Amino acid sequence: MSESSRPRIIDIIMSVLASGFGVQSHKNYQRDFTTGTFLAYLAVGIVAFLILIACLFLIVSLVLAN
């Protein structure tokens, strides 16, 4: 991927996940802030957060059911 092209959706997902775990590389960090759009990262971040909450809710429900 060239530096001037927009990141693909998989690149955005990987960047959001990597930054969520705190392992985002400086190169990807710079790419995200120079070529990416805020709304794309926001949308992926919100979806990832909702999936995390749903998984936690499911785990707690299963543990409390036993």
Side-chain angles (χ1 to χ4, degrees):
M1 176 171 66
S2 69
E3 288 297 320
S4 63
S5 67
R6 294 178 55 182
R8 299 171 303 171
I9 188 68
I10 191 70
D11 297 328
I12 294 171
I13 292 170
M14 295 305 292
S15 287
V16 168
L17 293 176
S19 63
F21 285 109
V23 294
Q24 179 75 304
S25 70
H26 186 69
K27 175 185 164 192
N28 289 344
Y29 173 81
Q30 286 182 329
R31 180 201 66 205
D32 295 344
F33 280 94
T34 57
T35 61
T37 62
F38 173 73
L39 290 177
Y41 290 96
L42 180 65
V44 170
I46 289 171
V47 169
F49 176 73
L50 292 174
I51 290 171
L52 173 68
I53 296 300
C55 288
L56 290 175
F57 180 77
L58 178 65
I59 291 169
V60 169
S61 296
L62 290 173
V63 168
L64 291 178
N66 291 330

